Amino acid sequence: MKVSIIIPIYNVAPYIEACIQSVFHQTYKDIEVIIIDDCGTDNSMEIVERIASTYKGKISIKILHHDQNKGLSAARNTGIKKATGEYLFFLDSDDLLPNDAIQNLVYQTTKHPNIDFVIGEIKTTGAENRSYPLLSDTYLESNEKILKDYLLFKWNVMACNKLIKREFIITNKLYFKEGLYHEDLDFSFRLALSANSMACSKTVTYLYLIRANSITTHKSLKNYNDNSWIIRNNLDLLYQNKQKLSSFIISFYAIETIYAFNLSLILEKNPSINRQDKKLIINELKTILPKCTSNNFNREYISSYIKRILLQIPFNFQVMLFNIYAKIKRLR
């Protein structure tokens, strides 16, 4: 079974050689590497051309060129359209694969033929070093279970480190939305919403580099606006599929996501986004809540959410908040 590994390239000269070599060192060899030149300004593609010209192994290499910079989503879409593998795997050009990564993921497809996608565990490197175990069962064959596990963060939202059936991607039109920040949140949600089967390899199959100057550590107003758009679009998709989903899933996603996003926005100390911008984004999201939840669910969930927040606050501060609350009650 051929696996197509799709690697977009844009200004990653310090990392790209190690990335590609980690693919060449895979124990599983029925692989085509699709490298997309997204018109960067450094010598990344010179390094790629040198590596490709000297490689003598069994893995095939396909290099594609954009005529101008189009972004990560467009590069991945180009790879999807040109891939010939039965399953696709997205690899970012500054990350690495353990030698047995593809072998371990493919093994799950032999246990569960025609599965929609397989996911492995992640280990971060660079600015953060930790492992992220998968909390889902080894095999799921229910769309609702897959979606619930996604909403409960039992499997990660990255587009990378997932072995996805190409036919499934094409049939469900799971292309990446171009020009969007946080495109993985959009892609993985639609993946969870569409999939009927999923398997987990309880081994580390991806080494994810966290860089200090990454898009997630230097947020602009576009980061927040795009994240808000994704939340609203995902809710639209849930409504379109509400016949096959429980009302709890829609309510849970709305409240968990909107309150968490608003809380992070309020607490974020970011000079690139002012108070008025924050207020506009929050008010826009707040209008969604009444449409998504019943009053009972809203009250019950908000109560449990506040309790969860309080558990993370130091005890002395909890006492102070309680005393303030008691005084307000007496004044009323």
Side-chain angles (χ1 to χ4, degrees):
M1 186 188 79
K2 185 190 289 185
V3 173
S4 298
I5 298 181
I6 297 170
I7 312 177
I9 306 291
Y10 180 79
N11 290 354
V12 284
Y15 314 100
I16 187 56
E17 182 160 7
C19 174
I20 295 176
Q21 292 294 348
S22 76
V23 176
F24 291 163
H25 291 147
Q26 290 300 297
T27 54
Y28 189 84
K29 297 299 183 185
D30 196 357
I31 291 173
E32 70 169 358
V33 183
I34 301 178
I35 295 171
I36 301 96
D37 171 17
D38 198 32
C39 303
T41 56
D42 69 359
N43 66 330
S44 295
M45 288 309 300
E46 293 175 22
I47 297 170
V48 169
E49 297 285 356
R50 172 178 56 79
I51 296 169
S53 64
T54 57
Y55 177 66
K56 306 297 182 185
K58 296 179 179 180
I59 293 172
S60 65
I61 306 168
K62 188 183 292 183
I63 300 177
L64 308 173
H65 300 274
H66 281 171
D67 54 5
Q68 61 182 354
N69 175 246
K70 296 181 179 180
L72 177 62
S73 292
R76 286 172 173 171
N77 289 340
T78 297
I80 292 170
K81 293 168 186 174
K82 297 296 183 180
T84 60
E86 188 178 346
Y87 279 82
L88 309 186
F89 184 92
F90 300 106
L91 171 62
D92 283 349
S93 49
D94 52 358
D95 296 332
L96 304 172
L97 299 181
N99 291 352
D100 57 356
I102 302 300
Q103 183 79 53
N104 286 332
L105 293 170
V106 167
Y107 173 69
Q108 294 297 323
T109 70
T110 63
K111 289 175 65 178
H112 313 287
N114 295 315
I115 195 165
D116 291 334
F117 73 102
V118 182
I119 183 171
E121 297 186 349
I122 290 174
K123 184 176 181 181
T124 57
T125 62
E128 177 188 304
N129 289 275
R130 60 176 294 187
S131 295
Y132 289 86
L134 291 171
L135 303 178
S136 290
D137 295 336
T138 304
Y139 179 60
L140 292 79
E141 53 181 346
S142 157
N143 174 248
E144 184 156 334
K145 175 65 175 170
I146 292 169
L147 186 57
K148 277 184 177 178
D149 279 13
Y150 172 84
L151 298 179
L152 292 169
F153 303 104
K154 290 189 176 184
W155 52 277
N156 69 75
V157 301
M158 289 173 55
C160 297
N161 198 34
K162 294 175 176 64
L163 195 66
I164 311 172
K165 195 171 181 65
R166 183 177 182 274
E167 181 184 342
F168 169 76
I169 288 179
I170 302 300
T171 301
N172 291 280
K173 298 179 181 179
L174 294 179
Y175 296 101
F176 292 85
K177 183 168 178 61
E178 299 181 14
L180 186 74
Y181 284 176
H182 310 292
E183 61 283 319
D184 286 11
L185 295 175
D186 172 62
F187 176 83
S188 291
F189 180 86
R190 289 185 288 119
L191 175 68
L193 191 62
S194 306
N196 292 304
S197 58
M198 162 189 166
C200 297
S201 175
K202 299 298 181 78
T203 57
V204 174
T205 54
Y206 201 89
L207 302 176
Y208 174 64
L209 175 66
I210 296 181
R211 290 195 266 167
N213 61 345
S214 71
I215 194 171
T216 54
T217 53
H218 284 74
K219 294 179 181 177
S220 65
L221 181 58
K222 180 172 170 55
N223 288 89
Y224 298 104
N225 281 329
D226 284 2
N227 209 335
S228 174
W229 181 90
I230 289 168
I231 292 171
R232 286 180 279 116
N233 187 62
N234 287 352
L235 279 165
D236 285 342
L237 293 173
L238 286 173
Y239 275 117
Q240 291 169 25
N241 292 271
K242 63 182 178 181
Q243 290 81 7
K244 70 173 185 177
L245 300 171
S246 68
S247 59
F248 178 86
I249 284 183
I250 299 175
S251 297
F252 180 87
Y253 178 81
I255 294 181
E256 180 77 10
T257 308
I258 291 173
Y259 276 105
F261 178 73
N262 285 349
L263 185 64
S264 67
L265 189 60
I266 291 166
L267 298 178
E268 186 86 43
K269 294 179 180 178
N270 190 331
S272 68
I273 177 169
N274 60 45
R275 187 174 179 180
Q276 186 61 30
D277 289 330
K278 289 183 179 182
K279 190 175 180 180
L280 286 172
I281 296 170
I282 289 171
N283 286 341
E284 189 175 46
L285 285 174
K286 278 168 68 176
T287 62
I288 300 172
L289 279 174
K291 304 173 187 175
C292 301
T293 61
S294 66
N295 288 334
N296 287 338
F297 184 92
N298 210 350
R299 281 197 296 269
E300 290 169 10
Y301 190 86
I302 291 172
S303 174
S304 68
Y305 193 83
I306 290 171
K307 287 175 184 175
R308 278 186 287 162
I309 292 174
L310 286 174
L311 287 173
Q312 299 176 43
I313 296 175
F315 178 74
N316 290 342
F317 193 58
Q318 288 185 45
V319 172
M320 183 186 75
L321 288 175
F322 179 80
N323 289 334
I324 292 170
Y325 173 75
K327 287 179 182 177
I328 292 170
K329 288 281 283 186
R330 284 197 295 272
L331 288 171
R332 292 176 64 188

